[in-house]
Amino acid sequence: MCDENWSTHWMTYEDADTDRGIVHDVCNGIRLITDTGVGDPVETVALSIAGAEAAEALAQALEGEWALYTPGQVTATASAVFSQLEGVLANLRALNTTLSRMEARRETAFTGAARERVEHAAAAVEFACGFAPAAISELQSLPQLLELPADAHELLTAVAGLLGPDAELRTFHGVGAYQEDDSGFGCGCEVLITHDGEVWSLHRGDSEWTMTRENDGKPQPDGSTTYASWIELTPTPTTSHPQHLAAEIRRALALPPQR
């Protein structure tokens, strides 16, 4: 079995997940079962399928250019993946024990060959699992050369600079007076982007980065403006990579790539 010390990295990242609580949101469905204890085969099979779907989805996610920003995020992800590998090892051997119990209860028979195959697979996984500590140690030693924005305002400022002269940062608070809005609407500042003679507003709304076209706004009697349509961008965190958000804006507006 692997040394358990390496596995604390993904646990630490989960504890520090204070931006949107996405780790807890994704895991809550599984915890509905595990917190009360798995009690029947339906729940057991459900957990196995959930794990398979998560692994498949992760493989697809990691294909994206902006899947991860920092070596620390790579380390947390690798730690979780190796932890899954250790889980696979334990599960394969538990499956063999389950087959033995089923044969003893006369619910099946002649499980020897099947259990031997599963044990061979478990041995291969155990060999691969042994590389985890050294791999995580190497990842931990990688330098982080990127400093991500600390808040929504820093991200807006950086994106405005990346988009060039056609983008203007409009600030609605004084220097040093910035405070994140707990409702998910940032500080109220925006970036105005001129494209094909039209002006678009990039702003924070309902914990999402959103773009609206100024000409689509409908003034209301109370002085506010409403929009019937808007563009929701990825990524959503306030500490996202500025180049990632800028790339999504360019894609949404079909702007040429940054040079």
Side-chain angles (χ1 to χ4, degrees), residues 8-90:
T8 60
H9 301 295
W10 68 268
M11 295 178 184
T12 301
Y13 189 87
E14 179 182 5
D15 291 341
D17 176 39
T18 57
D19 192 11
R20 292 187 300 148
I22 186 66
V23 172
H24 296 285
D25 290 344
V26 171
C27 294
N28 275 344
I30 293 176
R31 289 167 181 163
L32 286 175
I33 296 176
T34 58
D35 285 351
T36 57
V38 179
D40 57 58
V42 173
E43 293 179 336
T44 302
V45 174
L47 284 175
S48 68
I49 293 173
E53 286 201 9
E56 182 178 348
L58 176 60
Q60 294 174 355
L62 287 172
E63 291 179 357
E65 179 182 359
W66 301 102
L68 298 168
Y69 296 150
T70 68
Q73 292 172 342
V74 173
T75 302
T77 302
S79 174
V81 169
F82 276 120
S83 183
Q84 292 172 36
L85 197 61
E86 190 176 47
V88 168
L89 174 59

Side-chain angles (χ1 to χ4, degrees), residues 11 124-125 172 224 245:
M11 295 178 184
V125 173
F172 295 97
S224 63
L245 187 55

Side-chain angles (χ1 to χ4, degrees), residues 40-224:
D40 57 58
V42 173
E43 293 179 336
T44 302
V45 174
L47 284 175
S48 68
I49 293 173
E53 286 201 9
E56 182 178 348
L58 176 60
Q60 294 174 355
L62 287 172
E63 291 179 357
E65 179 182 359
W66 301 102
L68 298 168
Y69 296 150
T70 68
Q73 292 172 342
V74 173
T75 302
T77 302
S79 174
V81 169
F82 276 120
S83 183
Q84 292 172 36
L85 197 61
E86 190 176 47
V88 168
L89 174 59
N91 291 334
L92 288 173
R93 289 182 169 157
L95 282 172
N96 264 349
T97 301
T98 297
L99 284 172
S100 296
R101 291 169 179 162
M102 292 175 68
E103 185 173 3
R105 295 194 301 257
R106 298 183 180 275
E107 296 165 352
T108 189
F110 315 120
T111 64
R115 287 189 284 112
E116 184 177 1
R117 297 276 188 177
V118 173
E119 181 53 40
H120 286 165
V125 173
E126 184 173 26
F127 176 78
C129 196
F131 291 95
I136 296 300
S137 178
E138 289 292 339
L139 289 171
Q140 280 187 289
S141 68
L142 294 176
Q144 178 171 321
L145 306 180
L146 166 71
E147 184 175 350
L148 293 172
D151 49 48
H153 189 75
E154 284 192 14
L155 182 52
L156 279 173
T157 303
V159 168
L162 289 171
L163 294 177
D166 291 330
E168 174 192 353
L169 176 65
R170 181 183 289 181
T171 302
F172 295 97
H173 57 77
V175 177
Y178 170 72
Q179 184 174 1
E180 185 75 26
D181 188 335
D182 292 337
S183 63
F185 284 81
C187 58
C189 298
E190 62 182 344
V191 174
L192 298 180
I193 306 162
T194 302
H195 174 59
D196 282 348
E198 295 185 305
V199 178
W200 293 79
S201 169
L202 167 69
H203 52 273
R204 185 79 176 166
D206 197 19
S207 298
E208 301 279 346
W209 289 109
T210 303
M211 291 178 60
T212 53
R213 186 164 45 194
E214 295 293 274
N215 288 342
D216 293 339
K218 303 295 183 184
Q220 302 300 307
D222 63 0
S224 63

